[in-house]
Amino acid sequence: MSRKLIDQARKLLAGESGSQVKPWGGRLTVALVFPNTYHQGMSNLGFLTVYHLLNRREDVLCERFFLPDAEALAEHRKTGYPLFSLESGHPLTDFDLIAFSISFENDYLNLPVIFELARIPLWRADRGDSYPLILTGGVCAFLNPEPLAEIMDLFAVGEGEVMLPELVATLTAGGERTRPELLERLAGAPGIYVPSLYESEWSADGTLQGWVRQPAVPARVVRQWVRELDRTASRSFVLTEATEFSDMALTEISRGCGRGCRFCAAGYIYLPPRERSLDVLLEQVDLGLCEREKVGLVGAAVSDYSRIAELDRAILDRGGKISVASLRIDSLTPEEVAALKASGHRTLALAPEAGSQRMRDTVNKGLSREQILAAVRLLGKGGVLNLKLYFLVGLPGESEDDIAEMLDLLTEIRAVWVEEGKKQGRLGTLTISVNPFIPKPFTPFQWAGMAPEKRLKGVFQRLRAAVGHMANTEIIFESTRSAVLQALLARGDRRVGRLLPDLSAGMNLKTACRRQGLDPDFYVTRERGTEEVFPWEIIDSGVRRDFLRREYEAALAARTSRRCFDGCVDCGVCRGR
C-alpha cells in the first residue's frame, strides 16, 4: 500500500476520540461508506449513530470508508491500490455488507468514483455472488431511492435505530442461501426495499405507470421511524479535529418538525415531530462536555424544543457553550439570544424563506414582516455582531412584485440592523443567502416544477444589483447548475441513474441527458399531473397523498394551514399506517 495513504489514515485515526477498532473474529462485517470526504462525513450524526449502534453489538464489526480527498484520490489512481477502511485497511470487497449513508442527492456523483476505487461493478446486474451486498440508507433512501435502483441491491427505508436489529438478524441467520434467496428474505423485513424485485412500467408519454412486483414483496415499502427517541442517543460518538464542526460535540435534541413548511422535505419525511426528554439530553450533554467545551444542538426545529431555555441554562451552568444552526424567528427569546451570545456566537442565522407576505403564506411559513423585523432587532440588541438571512426564490406563483417586496424587506432589515449596531458601537456584516427553490418528493410541492434557469438568473441579477450598493451587506447565491442537478436527482426515476457515470466524469447535464435519450425538463421544470404516479411512491412515507394535494392547492391560493399538535391525525402519520 502507498506510504502516503497509510500515513493519512493513521493521522485521521490518531486525531479521533471514541472510535472503535476491534478484531474481526466471526462477526458480520459491515463497511459503512459516506460518499464524501472524512471532513464532511464525521459531522454527520446519522452516520455516527449507525457506526455506534453496529459496533456496540458483539456479532457485528463495522468499519468506515470515505471518498478520498483530491490528493489521496490521485494517489489511489497512481498506485492502483483499492479504497480501504479507516480502521484496519481492508478493501470494500472483504466485507459482508457495504452500507452507504447518503443525505444529499449531489453526492450521487461520487458513487462511480467509489465503485471504481473499490473495483466493484457499478450496476447491480453486473455483480454476482462473489460481491458483497450493497445497501443505501440515510435521507435519500426514503426520499426517493429510484435514481439508484439499478446500482443498489437494497435500501433501508427509514430511521436506522429501528431498522438495524432485524436487518442484522436476517443477515446473520444460519443456512446457505443464494444471493436472490437472501434478497427475497430481506425484502420481507419492514422498511427494506429490494429494487430487483420490482419492474417499472412506463406510459407512452414517458411517465411512470407503476411497478410489476414479485408476489412475496409489498406493493409499497413502509417507512420505519423511532417512536421514542429516549431509547437511543444520536450524538458525536467519535470526535475529531479534522471535521467541519471540530470544536463542538453535536447532540440531536429532536427529530421531525410540525411547522408544515410546504417546501421542506425533512419536515414531512421525519413526521411526526418527536423530542428527547431533558434528563436524557443532559446525560448526553455531560458526555459531550467531557470532550469539547461547546455543545451543538441539532434538530429541524431547535428553538421549538419544549424545554430549550432549561437546556441552554443547564449547559451554561456546566461551564459549556451552545451552538445552533439557525433560529426560529417567531419563537426567539431574549434568553436564548443571551445564551448564544455568552457562548461566543458572533454570527447567527434567521430563515424568513420568502420576501413577500404572499410567498410566505404560499410556503406556510407563518411569519409576518413585523415578526421578522422584531427578531432582527432582538439579535441586534443582544449584541450579535453578524446576521445571516436565508431566502428561497423561484417559488410557485412568484412574480416580479414578490421580488420587489423582498427588496423592500431587505432594506427594512438593514435599517434595523444598522440602527441596533450603532447603539452597540459597532456594525457587523449582513449576509443574504439566496437559494433556488427545489420541489422535493413527499412535500406538497412535489407536483410543482422548478423555475427555469433563465428566470432564476434574472432574479439573481436583480437582487445583486439592488443589494450591491448597501454597505456592510453581502449577497450570495447557490449555483443554479447545482440546484438543477439536485432537482433532477431528487425527482428522477430509474432511468436517471444511468446519467451518473457521465456526470461524475464532468460532462454537463444536457449532454449527458442527450446521450441517454432523456429530457432534463421532463424531470425538473415540468408541472406534474394531478394523478401522475411518482417514482418515489414505491415508498409509503405515512403522509397521505390527498393531504399533500390539499396543501398544494392551498399553497397556490396562498392560504396557510395549521401546524401539528397533539392528537392531530390530518396527514395520516399518527394513524399508524
Side-chain angles (χ1 to χ4, degrees):
M1 187 191 302
S2 164
R3 175 58 54 186
K4 286 184 179 180
L5 294 174
I6 293 172
D7 289 344
Q8 184 184 60
R10 286 176 174 171
K11 183 177 179 181
L12 291 174
L13 276 174
E16 292 187 349
S17 61
S19 59
Q20 303 172 55
V21 182
K22 301 186 294 187
W24 279 45
R27 300 177 177 90
L28 172 74
T29 56
V30 179
L32 186 59
V33 186
F34 192 83
N36 212 309
T37 63
Y38 178 92
H39 176 78
Q40 297 290 330
M42 291 305 294
S43 297
N44 186 288
L45 283 188
F47 181 83
L48 291 175
T49 299
V50 169
Y51 178 70
H52 170 76
L53 290 173
L54 288 173
N55 273 323
R56 76 177 184 179
R57 299 178 60 111
E58 291 301 319
D59 56 349
V60 177
L61 173 79
C62 178
E63 299 192 357
R64 293 165 293 164
F65 290 76
F66 300 92
L67 178 76
D69 61 25
E71 180 183 356
L73 179 58
E75 188 69 16
H76 273 288
R77 284 174 167 160
K78 175 183 175 182
T79 61
Y81 200 85
L83 191 65
F84 58 88
S85 74
L86 191 61
E87 282 79 3
S88 68
H90 281 77
L92 276 165
T93 48
D94 283 358
F95 291 78
D96 300 313
L97 176 71
I98 299 173
F100 283 86
S101 176
I102 310 182
S103 301
F104 185 53
E105 293 90 351
N106 289 31
D107 283 345
Y108 295 175
L109 270 62
N110 295 329
L111 294 177
V113 177
I114 291 172
F115 277 80
E116 172 204 340
L117 296 180
R119 300 175 183 171
I120 295 175
L122 180 64
W123 310 113
R124 60 173 166 77
D126 297 332
R127 298 192 296 265
D129 289 345
S130 62
Y131 291 100
L133 288 178
I134 301 180
L135 172 147
T136 287
V139 175
C140 290
F142 53 100
L143 188 61
N144 180 13
E146 285 301 273
L148 300 183
E150 300 293 345
I151 295 175
M152 302 299 167
D153 294 308
L154 64 159
F155 294 84
V157 179
E159 297 169 12
E161 297 96 330
V162 73
M163 297 195 64
L164 287 174
E166 187 156 356
L167 175 65
V168 171
T170 304
L171 290 171
T172 54
E176 291 294 327
R177 292 187 300 273
T178 65
R179 190 185 193 91
E181 288 172 337
L182 180 56
L183 286 171
E184 187 169 327
R185 183 168 178 177
L186 285 163
I192 296 297
Y193 171 44
V194 179
S196 61
L197 302 180
Y198 299 78
E199 183 179 347
S200 300
E201 290 191 310
W202 311 101
S203 301
D205 62 1
T207 58
L208 182 67
Q209 268 191 329
W211 294 266
V212 176
R213 59 187 171 92
Q214 298 297 314
V217 299
R220 299 177 71 198
V221 180
V222 178
R223 173 182 66 101
Q224 305 297 299
W225 51 276
V226 179
R227 265 62 177 176
E228 296 182 29
L229 290 185
D230 275 353
R231 292 187 176 180
T232 58
S234 184
R235 61 181 182 84
S236 298
F237 292 103
V238 181
L239 289 154
T240 173
E241 298 296 329
T243 190
E244 195 171 2
F245 302 107
S246 60
D247 63 334
M248 66 183 75
L250 302 176
T251 298
E252 184 192 51
I253 68 171
S254 61
R255 193 173 297 178
C257 174
R259 287 180 169 254
C261 297
R262 293 171 178 137
F263 61 86
C264 181
Y268 283 91
I269 64 172
Y270 281 107
L271 284 172
R274 294 147 285 160
E275 61 179 40
R276 289 184 166 85
S277 68
L278 182 62
D279 289 343
V280 166
L281 281 178
L282 290 180
E283 292 176 7
Q284 296 183 35
V285 164
D286 287 337
L287 291 171
L289 290 175
C290 291
E291 300 281 352
R292 295 290 189 271
E293 184 183 10
K294 185 181 292 184
V295 176
L297 303 180
V298 178
V302 170
S303 297
D304 288 347
Y305 179 63
S306 62
R307 304 183 71 178
I308 188 65
E310 295 169 83
L311 178 60
D312 287 347
R313 176 50 52 194
I315 294 171
L316 294 176
D317 287 347
R318 286 162 164 76
K321 296 179 179 179
I322 304 158
S323 178
V324 297
S326 64
L327 302 167
R328 292 289 184 181
I329 288 172
D330 56 350
S331 59
L332 188 62
T333 64
E335 292 77 18
E336 187 173 11
V337 175
L340 293 169
K341 180 67 166 53
S343 298
H345 277 269
R346 293 170 57 84
T347 302
L348 288 172
L350 300 175
E353 304 295 4
S356 72
Q357 189 61 56
R358 187 173 74 90
M359 285 293 101
R360 288 193 294 275
D361 291 345
T362 293
V363 301
N364 206 35
K365 189 66 180 176
L367 291 176
S368 67
R369 167 186 161 279
E370 290 72 24
Q371 287 175 308
I372 296 168
L373 295 175
V376 172
R377 190 175 298 280
L378 187 58
L379 290 174
K381 283 184 176 180
V384 176
L385 181 60
N386 305 308
L387 176 62
K388 189 171 186 178
L389 298 166
Y390 292 100
F391 288 92
L392 292 171
V393 295
L395 290 160
E398 181 183 84
S399 69
E400 294 303 315
D401 289 342
D402 294 306
I403 301 302
E405 192 172 332
M406 176 181 174
L407 289 171
D408 290 341
L409 177 63
L410 291 177
T411 300
E412 291 181 280
I413 288 172
R414 184 178 180 279
V416 171
W417 193 247
V418 169
E419 178 186 344
E420 295 301 328
K422 287 179 177 177
K423 292 177 184 177
Q424 299 288 331
R426 55 183 184 173
L427 186 60
T429 301
L430 182 65
T431 301
I432 315 299
S433 177
V434 182
N435 303 287
F437 160 71
I438 299 172
K440 286 294 184 85
F442 293 120
T443 70
F445 288 134
Q446 63 183 350
W447 284 272
M450 184 176 173
E453 271 193 271
K454 183 177 180 180
R455 153 79 178 162
L456 291 169
K457 289 178 178 178
V459 171
F460 286 179
Q461 185 175 4
R462 183 177 176 185
L463 293 173
R464 186 182 290 111
V467 175
H469 70 276
M470 298 181 182
N472 298 87
T473 304
E474 63 178 14
I475 188 164
I476 55 177
F477 303 95
E478 182 187 352
S479 160
T480 55
R481 180 180 299 178
S482 175
V484 168
L485 176 60
Q486 184 186 157
L488 175 74
L489 297 176
R491 296 162 59 77
D493 51 44
R494 294 191 178 194
R495 297 169 293 191
V496 164
R498 288 283 165 179
L499 300 171
L500 293 179
D502 286 340
L503 294 175
S504 178
M507 185 178 294
N508 71 61
L509 181 58
K510 288 185 178 179
T511 302
C513 285
R514 188 162 53 247
R515 285 188 58 174
Q516 295 296 330
L518 299 176
D519 176 8
D521 290 335
F522 177 83
Y523 297 100
V524 177
T525 61
R526 179 176 62 90
E527 174 88 7
R528 308 276 171 129
T530 303
E531 302 301 325
E532 183 175 334
V533 178
F534 300 134
W536 48 90
E537 288 182 313
I538 193 68
I539 304 300
D540 180 356
S541 72
V543 178
R544 296 196 323 270
R545 180 186 172 108
D546 65 305
F547 171 83
L548 294 175
R549 184 66 197 188
R550 288 199 307 272
E551 283 294 296
Y552 183 46
E553 290 168 357
L556 297 179
R559 295 196 312 268
T560 58
S561 300
R562 64 181 181 177
R563 301 172 181 174
C564 287
F565 61 91
D566 290 340
C568 171
V569 292
D570 283 1
C571 77
V573 168
C574 294
R575 293 182 187 273
R577 290 177 59 223

